[in-house]
Structures are given as structure tokens and as C-alpha cells.
Amino acid sequence: MPYRDLREFLPRLEAEGQLVRVKRPVKAEFEIAAGIRRMSDTRGPALWFENVVGSAMPVVGSLFADRTKALLALEAATPAEGNARFLRGLHAPIPPREVAAGECQEVVLTGDQVDLFALPLPVYSGKDGGAYVTVALEISRDPEDGSANASVYRVMRLDRNHLAVMSHAFQGLGTHIARAARLGRPLDVAIVNGCDPVLLYAAQAKVPHGFDELTIAGGINGAPVEVVRGRTVDLLVPATAELVIEGKIWPGRTALEGPFGEFTGYYGPAEQNPVIEVTAITHSRNPVFLAGLTGVPTTDNHVLKAFAYESTLYEDLHRTFPEVTAVAFPDWGGTQYVAIVAVRQRYKGQARHLLLAALGHASRPKWVIVVDDDIDVHDTERVLWAMVT
């Protein structure tokens, strides 16, 4: 059965030896990130920081730091099975189902009650511009056609009721921001933290504009995602989430956001990015904040993208080249810049055509390697052996 929420998934991790509770006090600045970094480098368990200095809210981190935990979330035994589950979500999406109430709104804070400093937002890297929300769904709706989008973007705290978000013009939220600005109206946005991990994996899918990623999560789970209507925004948010930050992005309002230690292992620069005016914070009675590290591979960011990127590239290539048998985006390539494709080549020059098609894909790889179908695309040593011999 699919996990209803994060709280159902955490005991499964603990039972599998994939979750450890940290009882000593830790600081949100650097210490949480240091713990996650160690687990990422050693393929260790997820960490539940029970005692975060200055906050009543515990933090869970390293939830996506390796594929073992990802396969548990997707209820799959192998990477190939995980990709198959993801493709099921793409082929048979299930729309969300609205419910009257949800755990995410057991506590509702508005007006002067809103205080982002009450949340244990980590500072991850030494030169980061501030404290960040890194693994949360940013939900918005296209102001022109009404379609919904759920994706993951970096969000930096500015003060007690303002955040800055980075979303490129070609991404879902960035498109919605630009269209709302053309219409001269604010854009509603909801930042959803601590939900069923499958929702975060589904949000990484490279799908056409207007395709609601929550429907993919429903397809993966075989059941609709339960959603409730926001308290101060006209959006539907996952009902069983731990925490939701609601707000509005006003046209033309920007602030300096960054630098930020990015998935490449280098800092993304500080830039003027859109400001979110927070109108409400809602959460469960005893919420857990979900943290995720981004940096030198492998970190949460890389594993989080793997199934979406591999599944969608496989699907798109296989449509034109049915001889394609497998696709991998290795962690060491940032799970984006290097794609490895296995093919049962049927005619001379087919691999060259396949290379060109893959380089033009929406996942934007910089390097594409094509190997014969007897090579395991997830085994870097075998791939390199095939290249040099």
C-alpha cells in the first residue's frame, strides 16, 4: 500500500535500519547539513534531529541521500522497477481528490502570528545567503489557463514573513510568475514541506506545461493524492503534509537571493529573485520539518531527480527508438549533465541519431554516452570499460 504521508514512511525506514534518531542538541546553522553530508558520503541512514536549538520542531534529513531509501519510498526492488513505477504514474495519472480537512491545517497561523524564524530552516553551506527550504513542493496555478504545477525550487528566508524563490523562466513557477506579472496581479503560491516522498519524486518529472505533477504521484501510488484548499490562497495542497507556507508573489517585487551551494558542487550566484509575502503558516499539531542537502554528488537533490529524469528520457527516446533498453543519469553527473543509454543497435549510425535526440531532450544533458544493451548503464565501471574498448 502507498504511504499516506511522511509519518507512515519514517517508521518503515526505521524498521529497515535506514533511520537514526539524533538526541543531542544540534544547530540549524551548518550542523544539520554536516550530519546529512556525512550520511550522504557514507550511504548512511536518514537522521531524525529531535533537539534543534531554538526550535520546538524536529528536523528529518538525508531522506533522499541514496537509492536504497528511494526504492523503499517507491516500493520497488530495483532501479528498473522504480522507473517502471514512475512510468506507470506518467501513463495512468490519477487526479487529486479534495477533502474537507487535513492534518496540514490542524494549526493555522496568520497575520502577526506568522514568523518564519520559528521554523528550523537550515543554513547548509558556508557562503549561502541565508537559511533555506530545499525539499518542498512549490504549488501554483497558471493565471491564464488555470493549470496547476508542483515543483521543487530553492527558497531563502528574508525576514519573519518574506521569502525569496529562484525559478527560471522556462520552469513551471517561473512561467506562472511571468504570466501573473503581465496581467498585473499577484500569484498565489504554497510551499508544502514534509509530505509523502512520492510527491517529491513525482514533482521532478519533465512533463509538458499544464501537466499537474500531483496526478503523476497519484498514478505511482495507485490512489489519488488527498488535497485541501489553502486558508489564504486559492490553491489545493496535500492534506497530510507536515507544514504549508502560503503566500503571494507580487509583480516586480524582488530581493537578493543566494549565493547557494548547488547540485553541481559549486555555488549558484546571488541574484534578484521574486519575493513571496507569507500570508499564513499551517501545520500539523506536532510537525516535523524536512531538510535536504544540495552539493557535491551524491546528495538528496541527485537521488530525488533520478527516477523522473531516467523514466522520462527513456519514454521519449523509446518512442522513436524502440531498441533503447535502459537509461541512467549517474549521480556523479549531477543527475542531469550525463545520460547513459543502452541500445540494441539495429542499423549502422543509429547510435549517432540517438545521441542527437538525447542531447536535445528537456532534461538538458551535456554528455550522452550510448552503449550496447549488454552493458549495465548503472555500473560506471562497465560503462567506462565499454567506452575505452
mmCIF file of all heavy atoms in Angstrom, residues 4 94-101 212 214-215 218 222-229 236-239:
data_model
loop_
_atom_site.group_PDB
_atom_site.id
_atom_site.type_symbol
_atom_site.label_atom_id
_atom_site.label_comp_id
_atom_site.label_asym_id
_atom_site.label_seq_id
_atom_site.Cartn_x
_atom_site.Cartn_y
_atom_site.Cartn_z
ATOM 1 N N ARG A 4 0.610 7.035 3.243
ATOM 2 C CA ARG A 4 -0.329 8.144 3.241
ATOM 3 C C ARG A 4 0.389 9.471 3.431
ATOM 4 O O ARG A 4 -0.022 10.496 2.908
ATOM 5 C CB ARG A 4 -1.379 7.943 4.338
ATOM 6 C CG ARG A 4 -2.468 9.014 4.352
ATOM 7 C CD ARG A 4 -3.584 8.636 5.306
ATOM 8 N NE ARG A 4 -4.645 9.638 5.282
ATOM 9 C CZ ARG A 4 -4.673 10.698 6.077
ATOM 10 N NH1 ARG A 4 -3.701 10.889 6.971
ATOM 11 N NH2 ARG A 4 -5.657 11.572 5.994
ATOM 12 N N ILE A 94 -3.567 9.888 -11.873
ATOM 13 C CA ILE A 94 -4.832 9.926 -11.138
ATOM 14 C C ILE A 94 -4.977 11.317 -10.515
ATOM 15 O O ILE A 94 -4.114 11.738 -9.740
ATOM 16 C CB ILE A 94 -4.873 8.849 -10.041
ATOM 17 C CG1 ILE A 94 -4.756 7.460 -10.675
ATOM 18 C CG2 ILE A 94 -6.156 8.961 -9.219
ATOM 19 C CD1 ILE A 94 -4.691 6.326 -9.655
ATOM 20 N N PRO A 95 -6.031 12.055 -10.850
ATOM 21 C CA PRO A 95 -6.198 13.410 -10.309
ATOM 22 C C PRO A 95 -6.342 13.405 -8.797
ATOM 23 O O PRO A 95 -6.839 12.431 -8.209
ATOM 24 C CB PRO A 95 -7.491 13.902 -10.981
ATOM 25 C CG PRO A 95 -7.666 13.022 -12.174
ATOM 26 C CD PRO A 95 -7.103 11.687 -11.797
ATOM 27 N N PRO A 96 -5.912 14.476 -8.131
ATOM 28 C CA PRO A 96 -6.074 14.584 -6.678
ATOM 29 C C PRO A 96 -7.555 14.604 -6.294
ATOM 30 O O PRO A 96 -8.424 14.913 -7.125
ATOM 31 C CB PRO A 96 -5.407 15.918 -6.337
ATOM 32 C CG PRO A 96 -4.544 16.240 -7.510
ATOM 33 C CD PRO A 96 -5.208 15.634 -8.694
ATOM 34 N N ARG A 97 -7.819 14.282 -5.029
ATOM 35 C CA ARG A 97 -9.185 14.310 -4.519
ATOM 36 C C ARG A 97 -9.265 15.308 -3.376
ATOM 37 O O ARG A 97 -8.528 15.202 -2.394
ATOM 38 C CB ARG A 97 -9.602 12.926 -4.024
ATOM 39 C CG ARG A 97 -11.044 12.885 -3.471
ATOM 40 C CD ARG A 97 -11.460 11.491 -3.051
ATOM 41 N NE ARG A 97 -10.665 11.001 -1.946
ATOM 42 C CZ ARG A 97 -10.094 9.808 -1.894
ATOM 43 N NH1 ARG A 97 -10.190 8.984 -2.924
ATOM 44 N NH2 ARG A 97 -9.405 9.420 -0.840
ATOM 45 N N GLU A 98 -10.142 16.300 -3.500
ATOM 46 C CA GLU A 98 -10.275 17.308 -2.457
ATOM 47 C C GLU A 98 -11.053 16.747 -1.271
ATOM 48 O O GLU A 98 -12.080 16.082 -1.446
ATOM 49 C CB GLU A 98 -10.977 18.552 -3.003
ATOM 50 C CG GLU A 98 -11.024 19.698 -2.005
ATOM 51 C CD GLU A 98 -11.562 20.986 -2.593
ATOM 52 O OE1 GLU A 98 -11.852 21.013 -3.807
ATOM 53 O OE2 GLU A 98 -11.689 21.971 -1.835
ATOM 54 N N VAL A 99 -10.553 17.015 -0.071
ATOM 55 C CA VAL A 99 -11.218 16.607 1.159
ATOM 56 C C VAL A 99 -11.496 17.854 1.997
ATOM 57 O O VAL A 99 -10.941 18.926 1.754
ATOM 58 C CB VAL A 99 -10.373 15.585 1.958
ATOM 59 C CG1 VAL A 99 -10.220 14.289 1.168
ATOM 60 C CG2 VAL A 99 -8.991 16.157 2.293
ATOM 61 N N ALA A 100 -12.362 17.694 3.005
ATOM 62 C CA ALA A 100 -12.802 18.853 3.782
ATOM 63 C C ALA A 100 -11.744 19.366 4.740
ATOM 64 O O ALA A 100 -11.670 20.573 5.023
ATOM 65 C CB ALA A 100 -14.073 18.508 4.553
ATOM 66 N N ALA A 101 -10.915 18.473 5.272
ATOM 67 C CA ALA A 101 -9.928 18.874 6.281
ATOM 68 C C ALA A 101 -8.722 17.958 6.198
ATOM 69 O O ALA A 101 -8.801 16.830 5.692
ATOM 70 C CB ALA A 101 -10.544 18.827 7.683
ATOM 71 N N ASP A 212 -0.276 18.441 -14.289
ATOM 72 C CA ASP A 212 -0.186 18.535 -12.832
ATOM 73 C C ASP A 212 0.606 17.352 -12.275
ATOM 74 O O ASP A 212 0.189 16.194 -12.398
ATOM 75 C CB ASP A 212 -1.594 18.558 -12.231
ATOM 76 C CG ASP A 212 -1.592 18.755 -10.724
ATOM 77 O OD1 ASP A 212 -0.503 18.859 -10.128
ATOM 78 O OD2 ASP A 212 -2.683 18.805 -10.132
ATOM 79 N N LEU A 214 0.960 16.337 -9.329
ATOM 80 C CA LEU A 214 0.267 15.561 -8.290
ATOM 81 C C LEU A 214 -0.514 14.393 -8.893
ATOM 82 O O LEU A 214 -0.756 13.387 -8.224
ATOM 83 C CB LEU A 214 -0.669 16.456 -7.482
ATOM 84 C CG LEU A 214 -0.010 17.508 -6.587
ATOM 85 C CD1 LEU A 214 -1.060 18.205 -5.725
ATOM 86 C CD2 LEU A 214 1.080 16.905 -5.700
ATOM 87 N N THR A 215 -0.906 14.527 -10.171
ATOM 88 C CA THR A 215 -1.585 13.413 -10.827
ATOM 89 C C THR A 215 -0.615 12.259 -11.086
ATOM 90 O O THR A 215 -1.019 11.095 -11.083
ATOM 91 C CB THR A 215 -2.230 13.843 -12.153
ATOM 92 O OG1 THR A 215 -1.208 14.171 -13.110
ATOM 93 C CG2 THR A 215 -3.133 15.053 -11.965
ATOM 94 N N GLY A 218 -0.303 10.374 -7.893
ATOM 95 C CA GLY A 218 -1.463 9.509 -7.745
ATOM 96 C C GLY A 218 -1.330 8.243 -8.569
ATOM 97 O O GLY A 218 -1.664 7.143 -8.118
ATOM 98 N N GLY A 222 -1.200 4.598 -7.167
ATOM 99 C CA GLY A 222 -2.431 3.882 -7.464
ATOM 100 C C GLY A 222 -3.619 4.411 -6.692
ATOM 101 O O GLY A 222 -4.647 3.735 -6.566
ATOM 102 N N ALA A 223 -3.512 5.629 -6.160
ATOM 103 C CA ALA A 223 -4.599 6.241 -5.395
ATOM 104 C C ALA A 223 -4.441 7.752 -5.467
ATOM 105 O O ALA A 223 -3.317 8.263 -5.527
ATOM 106 C CB ALA A 223 -4.560 5.778 -3.937
ATOM 107 N N PRO A 224 -5.544 8.500 -5.465
ATOM 108 C CA PRO A 224 -5.436 9.962 -5.583
ATOM 109 C C PRO A 224 -4.783 10.599 -4.367
ATOM 110 O O PRO A 224 -4.945 10.119 -3.240
ATOM 111 C CB PRO A 224 -6.892 10.410 -5.731
ATOM 112 C CG PRO A 224 -7.704 9.320 -5.112
ATOM 113 C CD PRO A 224 -6.946 8.056 -5.391
ATOM 114 N N VAL A 225 -4.031 11.666 -4.604
ATOM 115 C CA VAL A 225 -3.476 12.458 -3.504
ATOM 116 C C VAL A 225 -4.610 13.275 -2.895
ATOM 117 O O VAL A 225 -5.320 13.992 -3.608
ATOM 118 C CB VAL A 225 -2.360 13.404 -4.018
ATOM 119 C CG1 VAL A 225 -1.854 14.298 -2.888
ATOM 120 C CG2 VAL A 225 -1.224 12.605 -4.636
ATOM 121 N N GLU A 226 -4.797 13.170 -1.580
ATOM 122 C CA GLU A 226 -5.830 13.948 -0.906
ATOM 123 C C GLU A 226 -5.341 15.380 -0.719
ATOM 124 O O GLU A 226 -4.211 15.612 -0.270
ATOM 125 C CB GLU A 226 -6.184 13.334 0.441
ATOM 126 C CG GLU A 226 -6.882 11.991 0.321
ATOM 127 C CD GLU A 226 -7.364 11.483 1.671
ATOM 128 O OE1 GLU A 226 -6.944 12.033 2.715
ATOM 129 O OE2 GLU A 226 -8.166 10.523 1.680
ATOM 130 N N VAL A 227 -6.177 16.350 -1.084
ATOM 131 C CA VAL A 227 -5.786 17.760 -1.012
ATOM 132 C C VAL A 227 -6.872 18.568 -0.291
ATOM 133 O O VAL A 227 -8.053 18.196 -0.295
ATOM 134 C CB VAL A 227 -5.546 18.352 -2.420
ATOM 135 C CG1 VAL A 227 -4.320 17.736 -3.069
ATOM 136 C CG2 VAL A 227 -6.778 18.145 -3.318
ATOM 137 N N VAL A 228 -6.443 19.658 0.327
ATOM 138 C CA VAL A 228 -7.370 20.606 0.958
ATOM 139 C C VAL A 228 -7.104 21.989 0.386
ATOM 140 O O VAL A 228 -6.012 22.264 -0.111
ATOM 141 C CB VAL A 228 -7.213 20.632 2.494
ATOM 142 C CG1 VAL A 228 -7.651 19.319 3.114
ATOM 143 C CG2 VAL A 228 -5.783 20.974 2.889
ATOM 144 N N ARG A 229 -8.113 22.844 0.486
ATOM 145 C CA ARG A 229 -7.957 24.199 -0.029
ATOM 146 C C ARG A 229 -7.195 25.051 0.974
ATOM 147 O O ARG A 229 -7.395 24.939 2.183
ATOM 148 C CB ARG A 229 -9.323 24.823 -0.318
ATOM 149 C CG ARG A 229 -9.261 26.063 -1.193
ATOM 150 C CD ARG A 229 -10.603 26.316 -1.837
ATOM 151 N NE ARG A 229 -10.984 25.244 -2.751
ATOM 152 C CZ ARG A 229 -10.579 25.156 -4.020
ATOM 153 N NH1 ARG A 229 -9.765 26.081 -4.515
ATOM 154 N NH2 ARG A 229 -10.981 24.162 -4.775
ATOM 155 N N LEU A 236 -4.945 24.111 -3.979
ATOM 156 C CA LEU A 236 -5.155 22.840 -3.296
ATOM 157 C C LEU A 236 -3.799 22.267 -2.903
ATOM 158 O O LEU A 236 -2.893 22.154 -3.739
ATOM 159 C CB LEU A 236 -5.904 21.868 -4.216
ATOM 160 C CG LEU A 236 -7.334 22.280 -4.589
ATOM 161 C CD1 LEU A 236 -7.892 21.356 -5.661
ATOM 162 C CD2 LEU A 236 -8.232 22.265 -3.357
ATOM 163 N N VAL A 237 -3.647 21.907 -1.619
ATOM 164 C CA VAL A 237 -2.372 21.422 -1.099
ATOM 165 C C VAL A 237 -2.561 20.042 -0.484
ATOM 166 O O VAL A 237 -3.659 19.707 -0.018
ATOM 167 C CB VAL A 237 -1.793 22.404 -0.058
ATOM 168 C CG1 VAL A 237 -1.565 23.765 -0.682
ATOM 169 C CG2 VAL A 237 -2.706 22.514 1.160
ATOM 170 N N PRO A 238 -1.511 19.204 -0.482
ATOM 171 C CA PRO A 238 -1.625 17.858 0.106
ATOM 172 C C PRO A 238 -2.095 17.902 1.556
ATOM 173 O O PRO A 238 -1.487 18.558 2.402
ATOM 174 C CB PRO A 238 -0.202 17.313 -0.013
ATOM 175 C CG PRO A 238 0.371 18.032 -1.187
ATOM 176 C CD PRO A 238 -0.203 19.413 -1.117
ATOM 177 N N ALA A 239 -3.174 17.201 1.847
ATOM 178 C CA ALA A 239 -3.835 17.296 3.144
ATOM 179 C C ALA A 239 -2.992 16.745 4.281
ATOM 180 O O ALA A 239 -3.131 17.183 5.431
ATOM 181 C CB ALA A 239 -5.177 16.564 3.089
#
